[in-house]
Amino acid sequence: MTLTFGAYTFDHVDYDARGDVLYLHVGEPRPAAASDETPEGHVLRFDEAGSLIGLTIIGARAILERDGGLTVTPPAVRIDAASLAPALLTA
């Protein structure tokens, strides 16, 4: 099964009905180098390059039954001044 949400296509889908946890993977499931929690409590998993490789939705069926849909808000990114300074000097 393949699911596409926005710009992401998850081609490996696993659902744990007993725990009501939906695991979505981009490519073969693999360990993440980093993860982040969305404001809704979902878990985004990233590889070493920072690319999204997975999404875990806890309480997936309960959320769909309650809300009729699901929202996944990506985490905000803050860039410090030192990181941006070189780009500002090139102009």
Side-chain angles (χ1 to χ4, degrees):
M1 171 185 298
T2 299
L3 299 174
T4 300
F5 305 115
Y8 299 101
T9 298
F10 299 95
D11 48 5
H12 286 80
V13 178
D14 297 304
Y15 178 62
D16 173 3
R18 190 171 194 181
D20 192 18
V21 180
L22 180 62
Y23 301 95
L24 304 173
H25 309 276
V26 176
E28 287 293 325
R30 60 188 191 257
S35 64
D36 203 350
E37 185 174 334
T38 70
E40 300 83 18
H42 312 308
V43 180
L44 299 167
R45 295 184 313 280
F46 303 93
D47 65 11
E48 305 79 26
S51 297
L52 182 69
I53 60 168
L55 169 63
T56 302
I57 301 171
I58 300 168
R61 183 179 301 276
I63 292 169
L64 292 177
E65 288 174 355
R66 182 189 69 212
D67 300 339
L70 180 78
T71 299
V72 178
T73 304
V77 175
R78 177 169 168 76
I79 303 170
D80 61 70
S83 296
L84 278 180
L88 299 176
L89 295 175
T90 62

